[in-house]
Amino acid sequence: MAKQRKIIIFDTTLRDGEQSPSCSMNLNEKLEVAQMLEQLKVDVIEAGFPIASPGDFEAVKAVAKEIKSCTIAALARSIAKDIDIAGEALARAARPRIHVFCATSQIHRKYKLKRAKSEIVKMSVEAVRRALKYTDDVEFSPEDASRTEPDFLVEVVSAVIDAGATTVNIPDTVGYAIPAQFAELISYLRENVANIDKAVISVHCHNDLGLAVANSLAAVSAGADQVECTINGIGERAGNAALEEIVMAIKTREDYFNATTDIDTTKIYPASRLVASITGMHLQRNKAIVGENAFAHEAGIHQHGILSDRRTYEIMKPEDIGLPSSRLVLGKHSGRHGFEQRIKALGYKLTKTQLNEAYQKFIELADKKKDIYDADIEALIKQQASAGVEVWRLESLQTTAGTNTIPTATVTLSKEGKKVVDAATGDGPIDAAYEAIGRITGIKLKLTDYSLRALTSGKDAQGEVTIEVTHNGERLRARGISTDIVEASAKAYLAVVNRILSLGKTRKKKKSTTP
Ligand code: KIV
Ligand code: ZN
C-alpha cells in the first residue's frame, strides 16, 4: 500500500471568506479567528489581500506578527504594486507566502484582462519572480482554471513552476466543475506538466453548484496535496469548500483517501461557533459536521441503535469535533464552584475579576432562566469579552405592543450615574425602543442587517440579536443577549452606540496629538 499522504490545509476564512459582503470582520475579530486557526493547527492562514484596503493590509500585518506556528499567506494580483504591498505586509511573518493569481480562461482573458495568451504567461511568470524577492514560498493560481483550455493551463502551470512557484493552486473560481471531471483535470496536469513534481498541487473550489467539497475531495483522490477552504464554508456567493467537511471526510474515510491532515479536530466546533458569531452568518440546522442537528438522533429506531452501539448510526464521534455536551449543566442552585468548574471544562481561563463578574451575570441569568446550558455560559463570557466601553447603560425598558395598539417603548438609560428617560412610538416594539435610544443618545442608526436566533432550545431560551449598521462609511456589528428579545435588540443597538461614542473619543484624542 502506498505511503499515507499528508494533505495541507490552507484556510482562507480571513480572505475569501471575509471577502463576501456579509462576513466582514474588524482587526480584533480577524486576530481572534487567526488565533483559533492556529489552535486548529491549519498549515496555512491566508490573512487577506493587502492591496484591497488599508484595513486588509493592517490585518495581514497583525496576523503575520502574532501567529508563529502557521504559514501566513497574502494574496496579490500579478501586478508589481500588489506584490510589493503583500511582501511589506508579510515582513514580520515567521513563514510568509505570497499568493499571486492571474486569470487564464478565455472569457476572463477576453473580457476582463483583455490580454492574449502570451501576455498572460508573461505576467504570471513576472509576478512569481517578483514575489520570490520577498519569500521563497510562492503560490500561483490561474484564476478560473476549471474553465481554461487544458493545454493552455499546462503551459501556464509549467511556466510558473519554472519561474519558481512552489505551490500551484487550481481554482474552480465560479463553482462550475463536476467531481469526476475536476479529478480528470488534476490527473491531466500531473501527466502533462513536465515539472509538476517541483510544486505542490492545490485546489480551491467554490460552491455555486453545491459541489465545492466533493470537487476538492475528488481532486485529493487524483493527487492534489493542498486544499483551500474556509470555516463553515463562508465565502463569495455560495461560499468556499467547508474546512470541517474536508477534514472530517479525510479523517472518517482515511481507509479510502489513505491520507491525513494535521488538524486538531476537537477545535472544529469552537472554531465554527466563533466564526458564526463574529460574522453573524448562522448555520442551517442540518449543516454537515457543525449544524445543530448533525449529531441529533430523533427517530426511535435510530435512538435504539445508538443506545446499543453508537456506531450503528454514527460515523463520527461528537467529541471528535469538540462538540460540548448539550445536557443541562447548571441552575440557580449550582453554586460558584459548579460554575467555575463548568467554565474550566469549556476551555476558558478567566482572571479572578472576570470570574467574579461572570458569576454575577450568571446569578442574574439564573433568576430569569431555570436551565442554563453551555451555550448560555459561552454567550455570557463572550459578551463580557466584547463589552467595550459602556458610555450609556440600559437601566430599564418597557414596551407595549399588540393588535390595534401603537407600539410604544419607554427607555431609561444612564450615563455617568445620571438617568435619562424617554418614550417613543414605532412600527413595532423594537423600532420604538430604537427610536427612544436614538433620542436619548443623539445617535440614530440605520440598520443594514438584523438577525435573531435562540441560543438553546426551550421557551425560556436566550435570544441573541446581531445587528449591523453603517456609520460614516464604517461597518459596525454588535450583539445583544437576553431572555427577552426586545431587550436583546436594545442591548445590541446600545452596544453599537457605545462603540461609536468611544471610537469618536479615541479619534479626537489621536487628532490632537498628530503634528
Ligand atoms: O476563487 C478564486 O479563483 C480565488 C483565487 C484568487 C484563488 O479566490
Ligand atoms: Zn475563491
Side-chain angles (χ1 to χ4, degrees), residues 15-16 75 99 101 141 143-144 169 171-173 204 206 228:
R15 200 279 296 169
D16 222 348
L75 186 70
H99 176 189
F101 71 99
S141 290
E143 192 189 7
D144 205 16
N169 179 44
D172 180 26
T173 304
H204 173 114
H206 280 269
E228 303 198 353

Short mmCIF file of all heavy atoms in Angstrom, two decimals, residues 15-16 75 99 101 141 143-144 169 171-173 204 206 228, ligand 1:
data_model
loop_
_atom_site.label_atom_id
_atom_site.label_comp_id
_atom_site.label_asym_id
_atom_site.label_seq_id
_atom_site.Cartn_x
_atom_site.Cartn_y
_atom_site.Cartn_z
N ARG A 15 -9.64 35.68 4.11
CA ARG A 15 -9.51 36.35 2.81
C ARG A 15 -10.75 36.09 1.94
O ARG A 15 -11.63 36.93 1.86
CB ARG A 15 -8.20 35.90 2.12
CG ARG A 15 -7.73 36.83 1.03
CD ARG A 15 -8.42 36.64 -0.29
NE ARG A 15 -8.16 35.33 -0.88
CZ ARG A 15 -8.84 34.88 -1.94
NH1 ARG A 15 -9.79 35.60 -2.51
NH2 ARG A 15 -8.58 33.67 -2.44
N ASP A 16 -10.89 34.88 1.41
CA ASP A 16 -12.04 34.63 0.53
C ASP A 16 -13.33 34.63 1.35
O ASP A 16 -14.38 35.07 0.88
CB ASP A 16 -11.88 33.29 -0.19
CG ASP A 16 -12.29 33.36 -1.65
OD1 ASP A 16 -12.90 34.37 -2.03
OD2 ASP A 16 -12.03 32.41 -2.40
N LEU A 75 -2.62 37.59 -0.47
CA LEU A 75 -2.99 37.50 -1.88
C LEU A 75 -2.54 38.74 -2.66
O LEU A 75 -2.54 39.85 -2.13
CB LEU A 75 -4.52 37.33 -2.00
CG LEU A 75 -5.06 37.09 -3.39
CD1 LEU A 75 -4.68 35.69 -3.89
CD2 LEU A 75 -6.60 37.22 -3.43
N HIS A 99 0.74 34.77 -2.46
CA HIS A 99 -0.16 34.02 -3.34
C HIS A 99 -0.57 34.95 -4.49
O HIS A 99 -1.36 35.86 -4.29
CB HIS A 99 -1.39 33.58 -2.51
CG HIS A 99 -2.45 32.88 -3.29
ND1 HIS A 99 -3.69 32.59 -2.76
CD2 HIS A 99 -2.47 32.40 -4.56
CE1 HIS A 99 -4.42 31.96 -3.66
NE2 HIS A 99 -3.71 31.85 -4.77
N PHE A 101 -2.13 35.61 -8.34
CA PHE A 101 -3.07 34.97 -9.27
C PHE A 101 -3.20 35.78 -10.55
O PHE A 101 -2.93 36.99 -10.57
CB PHE A 101 -4.44 34.76 -8.61
CG PHE A 101 -5.24 36.01 -8.37
CD1 PHE A 101 -6.26 36.40 -9.25
CD2 PHE A 101 -4.99 36.81 -7.26
CE1 PHE A 101 -7.01 37.54 -9.02
CE2 PHE A 101 -5.73 37.96 -7.03
CZ PHE A 101 -6.74 38.33 -7.91
N SER A 141 -2.01 30.99 -8.67
CA SER A 141 -3.34 30.50 -9.05
C SER A 141 -3.74 31.00 -10.43
O SER A 141 -3.86 32.21 -10.63
CB SER A 141 -4.41 31.01 -8.07
OG SER A 141 -4.27 30.39 -6.83
N GLU A 143 -6.53 31.86 -12.22
CA GLU A 143 -7.94 32.06 -11.85
C GLU A 143 -8.86 31.50 -12.94
O GLU A 143 -8.56 31.61 -14.12
CB GLU A 143 -8.20 33.57 -11.64
CG GLU A 143 -9.53 33.85 -11.00
CD GLU A 143 -9.85 35.35 -11.01
OE1 GLU A 143 -9.13 36.13 -11.63
OE2 GLU A 143 -10.87 35.71 -10.38
N ASP A 144 -9.97 30.92 -12.53
CA ASP A 144 -10.94 30.30 -13.44
C ASP A 144 -10.31 29.12 -14.20
O ASP A 144 -10.63 28.86 -15.36
CB ASP A 144 -11.51 31.35 -14.42
CG ASP A 144 -12.89 30.95 -14.95
OD1 ASP A 144 -13.52 30.05 -14.37
OD2 ASP A 144 -13.33 31.53 -15.95
N ASN A 169 -2.04 26.39 -7.49
CA ASN A 169 -3.40 26.20 -7.00
C ASN A 169 -4.36 26.22 -8.18
O ASN A 169 -4.32 27.14 -9.00
CB ASN A 169 -3.72 27.33 -6.01
CG ASN A 169 -5.11 27.24 -5.46
OD1 ASN A 169 -5.57 26.16 -5.10
ND2 ASN A 169 -5.80 28.37 -5.40
N PRO A 171 -7.96 26.79 -9.14
CA PRO A 171 -9.26 27.22 -8.61
C PRO A 171 -10.43 26.89 -9.54
O PRO A 171 -10.32 27.01 -10.75
CB PRO A 171 -9.12 28.74 -8.49
CG PRO A 171 -7.76 29.10 -8.95
CD PRO A 171 -7.22 27.93 -9.70
N ASP A 172 -11.52 26.48 -8.91
CA ASP A 172 -12.79 26.38 -9.62
C ASP A 172 -13.53 27.65 -9.18
O ASP A 172 -14.44 27.62 -8.35
CB ASP A 172 -13.53 25.11 -9.21
CG ASP A 172 -14.87 24.98 -9.93
OD1 ASP A 172 -15.00 25.54 -11.03
OD2 ASP A 172 -15.78 24.33 -9.38
N THR A 173 -13.10 28.76 -9.75
CA THR A 173 -13.50 30.10 -9.30
C THR A 173 -15.01 30.31 -9.27
O THR A 173 -15.54 30.96 -8.37
CB THR A 173 -12.82 31.14 -10.22
OG1 THR A 173 -11.42 30.91 -10.18
CG2 THR A 173 -13.11 32.57 -9.81
N HIS A 204 -8.94 24.86 -5.02
CA HIS A 204 -9.67 25.95 -4.37
C HIS A 204 -11.05 25.97 -5.04
O HIS A 204 -11.18 26.43 -6.17
CB HIS A 204 -8.89 27.24 -4.61
CG HIS A 204 -9.57 28.49 -4.16
ND1 HIS A 204 -9.07 29.26 -3.14
CD2 HIS A 204 -10.69 29.12 -4.58
CE1 HIS A 204 -9.85 30.31 -2.97
NE2 HIS A 204 -10.84 30.25 -3.83
N HIS A 206 -15.26 26.66 -5.30
CA HIS A 206 -16.44 27.42 -4.86
C HIS A 206 -17.68 26.56 -4.98
O HIS A 206 -17.71 25.57 -5.71
CB HIS A 206 -16.54 28.75 -5.62
CG HIS A 206 -15.60 29.78 -5.05
ND1 HIS A 206 -15.98 30.65 -4.07
CD2 HIS A 206 -14.29 30.01 -5.28
CE1 HIS A 206 -14.94 31.41 -3.73
NE2 HIS A 206 -13.89 31.04 -4.46
N GLU A 228 -7.80 24.31 -0.28
CA GLU A 228 -8.11 25.64 0.25
C GLU A 228 -9.57 25.65 0.67
O GLU A 228 -10.45 25.21 -0.09
CB GLU A 228 -7.82 26.71 -0.80
CG GLU A 228 -6.36 26.63 -1.24
CD GLU A 228 -5.82 27.87 -1.93
OE1 GLU A 228 -6.59 28.81 -2.21
OE2 GLU A 228 -4.61 27.90 -2.18
O1 KIV B 1 -11.76 31.77 -6.46
C1 KIV B 1 -10.64 32.11 -6.88
O2 KIV B 1 -10.26 31.91 -8.03
C2 KIV B 1 -9.76 32.79 -5.93
C3 KIV B 1 -8.34 32.96 -6.36
C4 KIV B 1 -7.81 34.28 -6.02
C5 KIV B 1 -7.52 31.84 -5.81
O3 KIV B 1 -10.16 33.11 -4.84
#
